[in-house]
Amino acid sequence: MILIGEAINGLQPGIRQAILSRDKEVIRNLARKQVNAGAAFLDVSTGTAWPKPAEIMVWLIATVQEAVEVPISVNSRRLDVIEAGLRVCRNPVMINAATGEKEKIPLYMDLALRHKADLICLTMDEQGIPPHAVGRISIAKRIMDFSEQYGFPRNRIYIDPVLLPLKFFQAQGPIVLEAILGIAREKDAPHVIVGISNASQGMKDRALVNRTFLAMAMACGLDAIICDVLDAELTATIAAAEVILERRPYSDQYARESKKASAGASS
Amino acid sequence: MILIGEAINGLQPGIRQAILSRDKEVIRNLARKQVNAGAAFLDVSTGTAWPKPAEIMVWLIATVQEAVEVPISVNSRRLDVIEAGLRVCRNPVMINAATGEKEKIPLYMDLALRHKADLICLTMDEQGIPPHAVGRISIAKRIMDFSEQYGFPRNRIYIDPVLLPLKFFQAQGPIVLEAILGIAREKDAPHVIVGISNASQGMKDRALVNRTFLAMAMACGLDAIICDVLDAELTATIAAAEVILERRPYSDQYARESKKASAGASS
C-alpha cells in the first residue's frame, strides 16, 4: 500500500497560520512526523484564496524538502501552480491531479513526462463526475488509452474514482467500490487511489468510517491512499489488510511495523 | 448483515463447565447478552468429547430457548446430533453445517426441508477444501444445483467458503475473498457466510484482524457472519460497512445502533 500524507494543506488552520507567518518549523515537523508514520509521498496543497499561490507552493515544497527526502505530491487545481511546484521538486514527484477532460489530459501527461512525475487522474470530465461506476471506469479507460498514445508508463498513473462525502452522497460508497474493482481488474491496471478523509466529512466516528472504507477498498484492489497517516488505527488497519491480502508476511509485530512495511511497499 | 452469535460453544471452558454442572443461568445469560448485542441467530455447539453429545445439544438448546426467542443455529459434525437438536428447536432454525460431498448434500437438504431449516454449506467435498477460489466457487455451484433439484429455497442457503487460520495459511485471505466475490456475484446468489474468529487463531491483535477481514469480506459480498457479537468494535465496523454499502441509512447514531439495525436486517 502506498501512503500519501495529506497533512500539509493550507485549508488546515495550523498550516494556514504557518504559511502566513512563514513558520518553517511547523511545516518541517509535520513532514518528519508523516514520514515516520509511513508516508511514501507527502501531498502539498496551498489551499485556496492566496493572492500568489505559486509562491506559497514553492515555499512549502522547499521547506518540506529541508526536512525529508520523500517525493512530493504537488496538489493544485491550477496548472501554473503545479508547474511552479514541479520546478523546485527533487525527482521523483507526483502531480495531484489531472482529470479525464479530453483537452486537459494531454497537457498533464506532457507536463508529467517532462518532469518524470507520477500522475493522479480523477475520473471526471467535461460532464462532471459520472453518477455510476461504469462511467468512472470508462473515463479511467480513456485516460489509459491516452497514456498508451503518449508512451506514459502505466505504473506511474494513479486513477482516483472520486469519493464524495458519504453523509451527503451515500450511494458513493458502493459506486466507488465497484469502480475500484472494475479499474483494478483491467488488463495492465494502473494504480487505484482515493482520498479517504473527504468521505467521512461531517459524519460521527469519522475515523471508524475511514478505516472501514479503506479495508473495503483494499479488498476491491485499491493500492494507494491519500490519508491522515498519523491516525495509528488507520495504519494498523492497512497493516492487517495487507496481511489478509498476503501482501505482507505475517509476524506477531505486523500491526506495529506498518511504518517500515508501508514505506518499503512503495519503493 | 445477519449476525450469528458464536459464544455458546462447549469448546469454551466457561461453557464446558456450565454443561458439566448443568448451570442453566450461565447459558441463558450468554444467550440474552448476544441477542442484546444484535445476534439474529445463536449458534449452539456442544464441543467435542462428550459421551452423549445429542443429550448435551438438547439441554443447551432447551436452555437457550428459556431465555430468548431468536432462532438457533444447530452446530455439529454429526448428523444425529443435529437431528436431535432440530427436534427441540422452535422454528425457524439453521443447520451448521453441510458440506459439498455428493453423498451427503441430499441427506442435509432433506433434513433441512423437513425441519424448515436454513442450511449452512461448507465449500469442501470428498477431496477436502479446494486450494483455490475457483474450486470453492464450483462446489458452491454444485450445492446450488442440488438445491434447484430439491426445490430448496435459494435464500435459505448460506455458503461458507471455509476461512482457515491466516497465521498458518496466509494465502487463505485472498482465496476466500475471491471465493466470496465469485459466489456473491452468481445469478440468484445464496447468502455467503464465514466464521471469522477462526481466521485470527494464534495471531496478535486478533480483534483487528477479525474486523478488518470482515469489512473486506463485506465489500466482496459477504452478508452473514458467525462471530463474537459481544465485540463492540466488530459490530461498529459492521455498522460502518453497512452505511458505506448503502444498506443502512446514515444517521449520527449509526455506530451505536448496530443492535437494532442488524436484528432488523435479518428479519
Side-chain angles (χ1 to χ4, degrees):
Chain A
M1 197 69 182
I2 299 168
L3 273 63
I4 302 173
E6 69 184 7
I8 299 174
N9 186 320
L11 292 178
Q12 297 300 318
I15 301 296
R16 186 174 174 78
Q17 191 49 52
I19 293 172
L20 285 168
S21 55
R22 294 294 189 274
D23 183 342
K24 287 188 155 196
E25 196 42 34
V26 168
I27 307 297
R28 287 190 293 230
N29 189 35
L30 207 45
R32 282 185 214 106
K33 274 167 70 178
Q34 289 185 93
V35 171
N36 285 337
F41 289 81
L42 293 187
D43 195 69
V44 173
S45 170
T46 62
T48 46
W50 300 104
K52 295 183 176 176
E55 273 179 31
I56 309 286
M57 180 62 89
V58 166
W59 179 79
L60 281 171
I61 291 174
T63 307
V64 168
Q65 291 184 152
E66 288 167 18
V68 297
E69 295 290 331
V70 300
I72 306 289
S73 155
V74 185
N75 181 348
S76 175
R77 291 188 188 182
R78 284 176 49 173
L79 200 60
D80 63 319
V81 175
I82 288 180
E83 200 151 9
L86 289 174
R87 276 196 292 269
V88 292
C89 276
R90 298 178 198 140
N91 284 327
V93 65
M94 182 179 265
I95 295 174
N96 184 11
T99 64
E101 293 163 87
K102 290 185 190 71
E103 307 275 296
K104 289 195 179 168
I105 303 179
L107 298 177
Y108 279 89
M109 289 221 172
D110 185 58
L111 186 66
L113 278 174
R114 277 191 284 122
H115 288 271
K116 296 191 176 66
D118 290 6
L119 184 59
I120 298 178
C121 298
L122 308 173
T123 59
M124 56 187 290
D125 62 11
E126 299 79 3
Q127 275 78 49
I129 302 166
H132 297 302
V134 64
R136 301 188 199 187
I137 295 167
S138 97
I139 294 178
K141 285 183 186 165
R142 182 195 306 161
I143 293 165
M144 275 129 72
D145 288 346
F146 268 97
S147 79
E148 203 80 35
Q149 286 173 39
Y150 274 71
F152 196 91
R154 191 64 62 96
N155 66 359
R156 276 167 44 198
I157 295 185
Y158 292 68
I159 302 286
D160 179 339
V162 195
L163 185 57
L164 299 170
L166 295 174
K167 180 167 179 174
F168 312 107
F169 306 99
Q170 202 178 338
Q172 292 298 310
I175 290 168
V176 169
L177 291 173
E178 192 68 31
I180 293 169
L181 192 68
I183 298 164
R185 295 201 164 204
E186 286 290 317
K187 193 166 163 293
D188 297 324
H191 296 286
V192 190
I193 191 167
V194 293
I196 193 85
S197 302
N198 195 34
S200 59
Q201 238 184 63
M203 293 172 97
K204 293 279 176 187
D205 297 295
R206 288 189 67 169
L208 170 65
V209 173
N210 291 346
R211 64 179 175 264
T212 303
F213 185 89
L214 182 52
M216 297 171 86
M218 287 176 72
C220 295
L222 192 86
D223 69 347
I225 181 87
I226 305 174
C227 66
D228 175 9
V229 296
L230 304 178
D231 176 347
E233 288 203 66
L234 186 76
T235 51
T237 297
I238 293 171
E242 289 188 328
V243 166
I244 289 165
L245 292 168
E246 214 189 4
R247 290 198 201 136
R248 174 193 299 228
Y250 176 76
S251 89
D252 283 351
Q253 279 69 50
Y254 77 93
R256 277 160 293 280
E257 276 180 343
S258 37
K259 188 212 144 193
K260 276 179 285 176
S262 297
S266 71
S267 63
Chain B
M1 199 67 181
I2 300 168
L3 272 65
I4 302 173
E6 70 184 5
I8 299 174
N9 186 321
L11 292 177
Q12 296 301 320
I15 301 296
R16 186 175 173 78
Q17 191 50 51
I19 293 171
L20 285 168
S21 55
R22 293 295 190 274
D23 183 343
K24 287 187 153 193
E25 197 41 36
V26 169
I27 306 298
R28 287 190 293 228
N29 189 37
L30 207 46
R32 282 184 214 106
K33 275 167 68 178
Q34 291 186 93
V35 171
N36 285 337
F41 289 81
L42 293 186
D43 195 68
V44 173
S45 171
T46 62
T48 46
W50 300 103
K52 294 181 176 176
E55 272 179 32
I56 309 286
M57 180 62 87
V58 166
W59 179 78
L60 280 171
I61 290 173
T63 306
V64 168
Q65 291 184 153
E66 289 166 18
V68 296
E69 294 291 329
V70 301
I72 306 289
S73 155
V74 185
N75 181 347
S76 174
R77 292 188 186 180
R78 283 176 52 174
L79 199 59
D80 62 320
V81 175
I82 287 180
E83 200 152 9
L86 289 174
R87 277 196 293 268
V88 293
C89 277
R90 298 177 197 142
N91 283 328
V93 65
M94 182 179 264
I95 294 173
N96 184 10
T99 64
E101 293 162 87
K102 289 184 191 72
E103 307 275 296
K104 289 194 180 169
I105 303 179
L107 298 177
Y108 280 88
M109 292 222 169
D110 186 58
L111 186 65
L113 277 173
R114 276 191 284 123
H115 289 270
K116 295 191 176 66
D118 290 7
L119 184 59
I120 299 178
C121 298
L122 308 172
T123 59
M124 56 187 289
D125 62 11
E126 300 78 2
Q127 275 80 50
I129 302 167
H132 297 303
V134 64
R136 298 187 202 190
I137 295 168
S138 97
I139 294 178
K141 285 183 185 165
R142 183 195 305 162
I143 293 165
M144 276 129 72
D145 288 345
F146 268 97
S147 78
E148 202 80 37
Q149 286 173 38
Y150 274 73
F152 196 91
R154 190 65 60 95
N155 65 0
R156 275 168 44 199
I157 296 185
Y158 292 69
I159 301 286
D160 179 338
V162 194
L163 185 57
L164 299 170
L166 296 173
K167 179 167 180 175
F168 310 107
F169 306 99
Q170 203 178 337
Q172 292 298 309
I175 290 169
V176 169
L177 290 173
E178 191 69 31
I180 292 169
L181 191 68
I183 297 164
R185 296 204 162 204
E186 286 289 319
K187 191 166 164 293
D188 297 323
H191 297 286
V192 189
I193 191 168
V194 294
I196 193 84
S197 303
N198 195 36
S200 59
Q201 238 184 64
M203 293 171 97
K204 293 280 177 189
D205 298 294
R206 288 189 67 170
L208 170 66
V209 173
N210 291 347
R211 64 179 175 264
T212 303
F213 184 88
L214 183 51
M216 298 172 86
M218 286 176 74
C220 295
L222 192 85
D223 70 347
I225 181 85
I226 304 173
C227 66
D228 175 7
V229 296
L230 305 178
D231 176 346
E233 289 203 65
L234 186 77
T235 51
T237 297
I238 292 170
E242 289 189 328
V243 167
I244 289 166
L245 292 170
E246 214 189 1
R247 289 197 203 138
R248 173 193 298 228
Y250 175 76
S251 89
D252 284 350
Q253 279 69 49
Y254 78 92
R256 276 161 293 281
E257 276 180 342
S258 38
K259 190 213 143 193
K260 275 179 286 174
S262 296
S266 72
S267 65

